[in-house]
């Protein structure tokens, strides 16, 4: 499973990239707002820092023409820019046009397998089911993700699935079990993936025994 970080914070991106586990970045307008930085400056810095890795950047227009125009501008900011387009009818038309131009897209705000199906039909590079937000309204986000995965498998769809809106480490574990292509994970959750209380307890005991046995390397 590829690991993307779901953030617009350059320091979080740098730290996870330095760990050697980062395969890409996803941003959205809310995440950029959280950084408090001017939008263009934040996005350009991420694209530069992550040269060679896909970085999803979202349009804000809601009509097809506007989305396509914004997408073309964003695509010019870096070879690694992937354009996030919301899963609306206007968005699907925009993805169709952008696919024909060879501009990579990530269809976002996907909450059902049928939305994922139409996104694939118009050649989306990625599709992002939002599992946490589905859980938030009392449904099962992972079940929706599983349906998307099986439908894509049946038809040999090439669009890659990004499990998005991940809230905790158990979401990540289940995503990996389901064999999803990519999980885009918030910084705090990525950090938790390294940790287990038994590792801390075990290490403490080994270090104590090493000291008592006079082990020095
Ligand atoms: O980047 C899209 C998605 O991951 C947002 O997550 O936590 O705002 O539902 P969240």
């Amino acid at each position: 499973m590829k690991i993307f970080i779901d953030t617009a914070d350059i320091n979080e991106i740098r730290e996870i990239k330095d760990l050697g586990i980062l395969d890409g970045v996803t941003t959205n307008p809310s995440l950029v707002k959280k950084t408090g930085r001017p939008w263009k400056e934040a996005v350009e810095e991420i694209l530069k820092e992550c040269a060679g890795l896909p970085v999803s950047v979202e349009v804000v227009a809601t009509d097809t023409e506007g989305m396509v125009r914004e997408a073309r501008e964003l695509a010019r900011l870096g070879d690694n820019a992937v354009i996030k387009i919301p899963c609306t009818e206007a968005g699907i038309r925009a993805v169709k046009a952008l696919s024909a131009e060879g501009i990579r897209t990530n269809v976002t705000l996907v909450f059902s397998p049928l939305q994922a199906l139409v996104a694939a039909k118009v050649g989306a590079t990625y599709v992002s089911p939002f599992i946490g937000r589905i859980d938030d309204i009392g449904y099962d986000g992972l079940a929706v993700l599983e349906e998307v995965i099986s439908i894509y498998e049946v038809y040999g769809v090439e669009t890659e699935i990004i499990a998005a809106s991940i809230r905790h480490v158990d979401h990540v574990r289940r995503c990996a079990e389901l064999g999803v292509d990519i999980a885009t994970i918030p910084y705090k959750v990525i950090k938790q993936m390294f940790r287990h209380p038994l590792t801390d307890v075990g290490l403490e005991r080994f270090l104590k025994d090493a000291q008592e046995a006079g082990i020095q390397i």
Side-chain angles (χ1 to χ4, degrees):
M1 182 174 76
K2 282 181 259 187
I3 292 178
F4 287 11
I5 187 167
D6 196 24
T7 187
D9 184 320
I10 193 71
N11 295 318
E12 293 182 355
I13 292 168
R14 283 199 181 113
E15 184 183 330
I16 302 303
K17 186 170 156 249
D18 284 351
L19 279 166
I21 61 163
L22 191 66
D23 299 301
V25 178
T26 54
T27 69
N28 63 41
S30 311
L31 292 169
V32 175
K33 182 182 162 204
K34 242 168 86 180
T35 67
R37 298 184 58 202
W39 172 86
K40 200 167 180 216
E41 187 185 296
V43 164
E44 283 183 327
E45 192 172 20
I46 297 169
L47 287 165
K48 204 166 153 211
E49 174 70 37
C50 297
L53 298 180
V55 175
S56 288
V57 187
E58 191 156 341
V59 296
V60 290
T62 53
D63 62 301
T64 303
E65 205 184 310
M67 288 187 208
V68 170
R69 193 186 56 247
E70 288 182 6
R72 287 180 185 140
E73 271 173 41
L74 292 172
R76 276 195 287 270
L77 295 180
D79 287 352
N80 52 340
V82 174
I83 315 305
K84 251 183 162 179
I85 306 276
C87 193
T88 57
E89 278 191 31
I92 293 300
R93 285 178 202 277
V95 174
K96 180 178 166 239
L98 296 168
S99 301
E101 292 180 26
I103 293 179
R104 291 187 297 164
T105 53
N106 173 357
V107 176
T108 188
L109 290 166
V110 166
F111 296 93
S112 84
L114 298 181
Q115 287 181 304
L117 189 59
V118 291
K121 294 282 287 183
V122 289
T125 316
Y126 302 100
V127 66
S128 293
F130 274 30
I131 61 176
R133 292 195 196 182
I134 297 173
D135 290 353
D136 288 347
I137 58 158
Y139 291 86
D140 185 348
L142 287 161
V144 172
L145 179 65
E146 195 169 5
E147 287 174 41
V148 177
I149 293 171
S150 38
I151 291 170
Y152 274 23
E153 267 172 16
V154 167
Y155 295 105
V157 169
E158 283 178 17
T159 301
E160 285 192 271
I161 304 167
I162 305 180
S165 187
I166 284 178
R167 297 282 159 72
H168 46 73
V169 279
D170 206 47
H171 270 155
V172 181
R173 181 186 66 81
R174 290 284 293 129
C175 282
E177 267 186 356
L178 292 174
V180 73
D181 301 300
I182 301 150
T184 189
I185 313 173
Y187 170 81
K188 264 200 334 214
V189 179
I190 294 181
K191 295 283 277 184
Q192 284 167 355
M193 289 168 64
F194 291 82
R195 303 198 54 189
H196 195 285
L198 289 179
T199 304
D200 300 338
V201 170
L203 182 60
E204 202 181 319
R205 193 179 304 160
F206 284 152
L207 292 178
K208 187 169 170 283
D209 289 343
Q211 203 178 26
E212 286 171 12
I215 299 173
Q216 267 183 334
I217 299 163

